[in-house]
Amino acid sequence: MIPVIFQDLGNMPYQAAWDYQEQLLKQKVEQKSKRFAPATTDEEMQEEAPITHHLLLVEHPPVYTLGKSGKMEHVLISEEERQDKGIEFFKINRGGDITFHGPQQIVGYPILDLEQFYTDIGKYLRNLEEVIILTLAEYGLKGDRSPGETGVWLDPGDITRARKICAMGIRCSRWITMHGFAFNVNTDLDYFGHIVPCGIENKAVTSLEKELGYAVPFEEVKEKVKKNFERIFNVQLQ
Protein backbone atom coordinates (compact mmCIF):
# COMPACT_ATOMS: atom_id res chain seq x y z
CA MET A 1 0.00 0.00 0.00
CA ILE A 2 1.09 3.55 -0.71
CA PRO A 3 1.85 5.59 2.46
CA VAL A 4 -0.01 8.89 2.85
CA ILE A 5 0.85 11.46 5.52
CA PHE A 6 -2.31 12.35 7.45
CA GLN A 7 -2.80 15.64 9.27
CA ASP A 8 -5.85 16.84 11.18
CA LEU A 9 -5.53 20.62 11.01
CA GLY A 10 -8.39 21.20 13.44
CA ASN A 11 -10.26 24.48 13.01
CA MET A 12 -8.15 26.63 10.67
CA PRO A 13 -8.94 29.84 8.73
CA TYR A 14 -9.42 29.19 5.02
CA GLN A 15 -6.48 31.31 3.86
CA ALA A 16 -4.02 29.48 6.14
CA ALA A 17 -5.16 26.07 4.90
CA TRP A 18 -5.06 27.22 1.27
CA ASP A 19 -1.52 28.57 1.73
CA TYR A 20 -0.44 25.26 3.26
CA GLN A 21 -1.90 23.31 0.34
CA GLU A 22 -0.13 25.58 -2.13
CA GLN A 23 3.14 25.09 -0.24
CA LEU A 24 2.83 21.31 -0.41
CA LEU A 25 1.81 21.40 -4.08
CA LYS A 26 4.77 23.62 -4.96
CA GLN A 27 7.16 21.25 -3.19
CA LYS A 28 5.81 18.25 -5.10
CA VAL A 29 5.86 19.99 -8.48
CA GLU A 30 9.45 21.17 -7.96
CA GLN A 31 10.44 17.66 -6.90
CA LYS A 32 8.92 16.21 -10.06
CA SER A 33 10.61 18.85 -12.22
CA LYS A 34 14.01 17.89 -10.83
CA ARG A 35 13.34 14.26 -11.72
CA PHE A 36 13.05 15.20 -15.38
CA ALA A 37 16.26 17.25 -15.27
CA PRO A 38 19.43 15.24 -15.99
CA ALA A 39 21.43 14.45 -12.84
CA THR A 40 24.92 15.94 -12.94
CA THR A 41 26.48 13.96 -10.11
CA ASP A 42 26.20 10.50 -8.56
CA GLU A 43 25.16 12.20 -5.32
CA GLU A 44 22.18 13.87 -7.01
CA MET A 45 21.08 10.53 -8.42
CA GLN A 46 21.24 8.90 -4.98
CA GLU A 47 19.34 11.76 -3.27
CA GLU A 48 16.21 11.35 -5.38
CA ALA A 49 13.39 10.62 -2.91
CA PRO A 50 9.86 9.45 -3.67
CA ILE A 51 7.19 12.11 -3.72
CA THR A 52 5.12 12.03 -0.54
CA HIS A 53 1.32 12.14 -0.50
CA HIS A 54 -0.86 13.93 2.05
CA LEU A 55 -4.42 13.92 3.31
CA LEU A 56 -5.43 17.02 5.25
CA LEU A 57 -8.71 17.15 7.17
CA VAL A 58 -9.86 20.51 8.49
CA GLU A 59 -12.81 22.58 9.69
CA HIS A 60 -13.05 26.19 8.59
CA PRO A 61 -14.72 29.19 10.20
CA PRO A 62 -17.67 30.29 7.98
CA VAL A 63 -16.44 31.04 4.45
CA TYR A 64 -17.75 31.08 0.88
CA THR A 65 -15.33 30.02 -1.86
CA LEU A 66 -15.90 30.68 -5.55
CA GLY A 67 -14.17 28.41 -8.06
CA LYS A 68 -12.64 29.38 -11.40
CA SER A 69 -15.85 28.83 -13.34
CA GLY A 70 -18.09 30.33 -10.65
CA LYS A 71 -20.41 33.30 -11.08
CA MET A 72 -20.69 36.18 -8.63
CA GLU A 73 -24.46 36.26 -9.11
CA HIS A 74 -24.57 32.98 -7.22
CA VAL A 75 -23.73 35.00 -4.08
CA LEU A 76 -27.18 36.15 -2.98
CA ILE A 77 -26.22 38.57 -0.19
CA SER A 78 -24.32 41.85 -0.26
CA GLU A 79 -20.74 42.16 0.92
CA GLU A 80 -21.96 44.20 3.89
CA GLU A 81 -24.47 41.50 4.91
CA ARG A 82 -21.83 38.82 4.52
CA GLN A 83 -19.38 40.72 6.72
CA ASP A 84 -22.09 41.34 9.32
CA LYS A 85 -22.65 37.58 9.48
CA GLY A 86 -18.90 36.99 9.92
CA ILE A 87 -18.54 35.02 6.68
CA GLU A 88 -15.27 35.29 4.73
CA PHE A 89 -15.14 35.12 0.92
CA PHE A 90 -12.42 33.92 -1.46
CA LYS A 91 -12.10 33.52 -5.19
CA ILE A 92 -9.96 30.41 -5.55
CA ASN A 93 -8.20 28.24 -8.14
CA ARG A 94 -10.22 25.02 -7.96
CA GLY A 95 -12.84 23.90 -10.44
CA GLY A 96 -16.53 24.36 -9.76
CA ASP A 97 -18.72 27.22 -8.60
CA ILE A 98 -19.53 28.53 -5.12
CA THR A 99 -19.74 26.56 -1.91
CA PHE A 100 -19.74 27.08 1.84
CA HIS A 101 -17.33 25.79 4.47
CA GLY A 102 -18.01 26.05 8.16
CA PRO A 103 -17.98 24.38 11.58
CA GLN A 104 -18.96 20.72 11.82
CA GLN A 105 -18.19 20.15 8.14
CA ILE A 106 -15.37 17.75 7.25
CA VAL A 107 -13.22 19.35 4.58
CA GLY A 108 -10.68 17.02 2.99
CA TYR A 109 -7.68 18.12 0.96
CA PRO A 110 -5.81 15.17 -0.61
CA ILE A 111 -2.41 16.18 -2.01
CA LEU A 112 -1.69 13.14 -4.18
CA ASP A 113 0.60 12.51 -7.12
CA LEU A 114 -1.86 10.74 -9.40
CA GLU A 115 1.00 9.41 -11.52
CA GLN A 116 1.57 6.98 -8.62
CA PHE A 117 -2.11 5.99 -8.72
CA TYR A 118 -3.69 6.58 -12.18
CA THR A 119 -3.68 9.55 -14.55
CA ASP A 120 -7.44 9.89 -14.72
CA ILE A 121 -9.14 12.92 -13.11
CA GLY A 122 -12.61 11.44 -13.62
CA LYS A 123 -11.64 8.25 -11.80
CA TYR A 124 -10.08 10.31 -9.00
CA LEU A 125 -13.30 12.28 -8.48
CA ARG A 126 -15.43 9.12 -8.60
CA ASN A 127 -13.16 7.58 -5.95
CA LEU A 128 -13.48 10.63 -3.71
CA GLU A 129 -17.25 10.31 -4.08
CA GLU A 130 -17.02 6.61 -3.20
CA VAL A 131 -15.25 7.43 0.07
CA ILE A 132 -18.26 9.52 1.14
CA ILE A 133 -20.81 7.03 -0.26
CA LEU A 134 -19.25 4.27 1.87
CA THR A 135 -19.26 6.53 4.92
CA LEU A 136 -22.95 7.35 4.45
CA ALA A 137 -23.73 3.64 4.11
CA GLU A 138 -22.35 3.09 7.62
CA TYR A 139 -25.18 5.32 8.84
CA GLY A 140 -27.81 3.55 6.76
CA LEU A 141 -27.96 6.23 4.06
CA LYS A 142 -27.73 5.62 0.32
CA GLY A 143 -25.36 8.18 -1.14
CA ASP A 144 -25.33 8.42 -4.91
CA ARG A 145 -24.00 10.33 -7.89
CA SER A 146 -25.93 12.76 -10.07
CA PRO A 147 -24.97 12.55 -13.78
CA GLY A 148 -22.98 15.63 -14.81
CA GLU A 149 -22.82 16.98 -11.24
CA THR A 150 -19.74 16.18 -9.17
CA GLY A 151 -20.29 15.35 -5.50
CA VAL A 152 -22.45 13.05 -3.41
CA TRP A 153 -26.24 13.25 -3.35
CA LEU A 154 -29.27 11.62 -1.82
CA ASP A 155 -32.16 10.76 -4.17
CA PRO A 156 -30.52 12.46 -7.19
CA GLY A 157 -33.03 10.87 -9.57
CA ASP A 158 -36.00 12.61 -7.93
CA ILE A 159 -35.93 16.31 -8.76
CA THR A 160 -38.31 17.08 -5.88
CA ARG A 161 -36.11 15.32 -3.30
CA ALA A 162 -32.53 15.52 -4.65
CA ARG A 163 -30.17 16.99 -2.07
CA LYS A 164 -26.40 17.31 -1.92
CA ILE A 165 -24.48 16.24 1.15
CA CYS A 166 -20.89 16.53 -0.10
CA ALA A 167 -19.47 19.08 -2.55
CA MET A 168 -16.22 18.55 -4.48
CA GLY A 169 -13.83 20.70 -6.45
CA ILE A 170 -10.16 20.13 -7.21
CA ARG A 171 -7.11 21.54 -8.89
CA CYS A 172 -4.44 19.37 -10.51
CA SER A 173 -0.93 20.47 -11.55
CA ARG A 174 1.54 17.98 -13.05
CA TRP A 175 -0.93 15.30 -11.87
CA ILE A 176 -0.64 16.52 -8.26
CA THR A 177 -3.99 17.31 -6.67
CA MET A 178 -5.18 19.93 -4.20
CA HIS A 179 -8.53 21.15 -2.83
CA GLY A 180 -11.01 18.30 -2.45
CA PHE A 181 -14.34 17.65 -0.69
CA ALA A 182 -16.67 19.25 1.87
CA PHE A 183 -18.89 16.77 3.74
CA ASN A 184 -21.77 18.23 5.76
CA VAL A 185 -21.93 16.46 9.10
CA ASN A 186 -23.63 18.72 11.67
CA THR A 187 -23.25 21.80 9.48
CA ASP A 188 -25.55 24.83 9.90
CA LEU A 189 -27.36 24.66 6.57
CA ASP A 190 -28.76 28.19 6.86
CA TYR A 191 -25.49 29.47 5.38
CA PHE A 192 -26.32 27.76 2.09
CA GLY A 193 -29.45 29.91 1.81
CA HIS A 194 -27.32 32.93 0.89
CA ILE A 195 -25.74 31.30 -2.18
CA VAL A 196 -26.68 29.07 -5.11
CA PRO A 197 -24.65 26.06 -3.90
CA CYS A 198 -22.27 24.80 -6.61
CA GLY A 199 -24.23 27.01 -9.05
CA ILE A 200 -27.01 24.41 -9.19
CA GLU A 201 -30.47 25.97 -9.03
CA ASN A 202 -33.48 24.40 -7.33
CA LYS A 203 -31.67 21.55 -5.59
CA ALA A 204 -31.35 21.32 -1.82
CA VAL A 205 -28.37 20.83 0.46
CA THR A 206 -28.44 18.46 3.41
CA SER A 207 -26.27 17.14 6.24
CA LEU A 208 -25.76 13.89 8.11
CA GLU A 209 -27.50 15.47 11.11
CA LYS A 210 -30.54 16.50 9.08
CA GLU A 211 -30.87 13.07 7.48
CA LEU A 212 -30.51 11.12 10.73
CA GLY A 213 -32.39 13.52 13.00
CA TYR A 214 -29.59 13.84 15.54
CA ALA A 215 -26.10 15.33 15.85
CA VAL A 216 -23.46 12.76 14.94
CA PRO A 217 -20.15 12.56 16.85
CA PHE A 218 -17.85 14.55 14.57
CA GLU A 219 -14.64 12.66 15.37
CA GLU A 220 -16.44 9.36 14.75
CA VAL A 221 -17.36 10.45 11.23
CA LYS A 222 -13.78 11.59 10.58
CA GLU A 223 -12.47 8.16 11.51
CA LYS A 224 -14.90 6.52 9.09
CA VAL A 225 -13.85 8.90 6.31
CA LYS A 226 -10.18 8.10 6.97
CA LYS A 227 -10.83 4.35 6.96
CA ASN A 228 -12.80 4.52 3.71
CA PHE A 229 -10.16 6.75 2.10
CA GLU A 230 -7.55 4.08 2.88
CA ARG A 231 -9.80 1.38 1.44
CA ILE A 232 -10.73 3.12 -1.81
CA PHE A 233 -7.28 4.52 -2.62
CA ASN A 234 -5.42 1.45 -1.28
CA VAL A 235 -3.21 3.62 0.95
CA GLN A 236 -2.03 3.62 4.54
CA LEU A 237 -2.46 6.85 6.49
CA GLN A 238 0.53 7.70 8.68
Side-chain angles (χ1 to χ4, degrees), residues 20-111:
Y20 185 45
Q21 287 186 81
E22 291 283 6
Q23 175 189 333
L24 290 174
L25 180 76
K26 183 181 179 184
Q27 288 173 358
K28 314 301 174 199
V29 169
E30 288 178 352
Q31 195 175 351
K32 287 188 84 169
S33 297
K34 287 178 181 177
R35 284 186 167 189
F36 287 98
T40 55
T41 66
D42 290 341
E43 185 178 350
E44 281 184 2
M45 294 175 69
Q46 292 171 1
E47 285 178 353
E48 184 178 290
I51 289 175
T52 54
H53 311 277
H54 298 257
L55 173 64
L56 315 176
L57 293 186
V58 63
E59 273 182 279
H60 293 305
V63 59
Y64 294 131
T65 66
L66 186 70
K68 292 183 295 184
S69 58
K71 298 176 180 178
M72 279 302 298
E73 55 262 38
H74 292 156
V75 183
L76 305 178
I77 57 173
S78 68
E79 184 175 354
E80 184 179 5
E81 288 175 296
R82 179 178 55 74
Q83 290 176 348
D84 286 345
K85 293 178 184 295
I87 308 170
E88 289 192 293
F89 175 81
F90 293 93
K91 290 183 178 179
I92 62 172
N93 56 356
R94 61 159 169 80
D97 206 286
I98 191 161
T99 196
F100 168 75
H101 300 309
Q104 292 291 295
Q105 180 193 68
I106 297 174
V107 179
Y109 297 133
I111 316 291

Side-chain angles (χ1 to χ4, degrees), residues 1 31 39 43 49 65 120 141 160-161 166 170 188-189 219 222 226 228:
M1 285 192 287
Q31 195 175 351
E43 185 178 350
T65 66
D120 185 333
L141 297 172
T160 64
R161 301 187 64 217
C166 183
I170 69 162
D188 183 349
L189 300 177
E219 294 302 318
K222 269 193 207 173
K226 288 165 61 179
N228 289 319

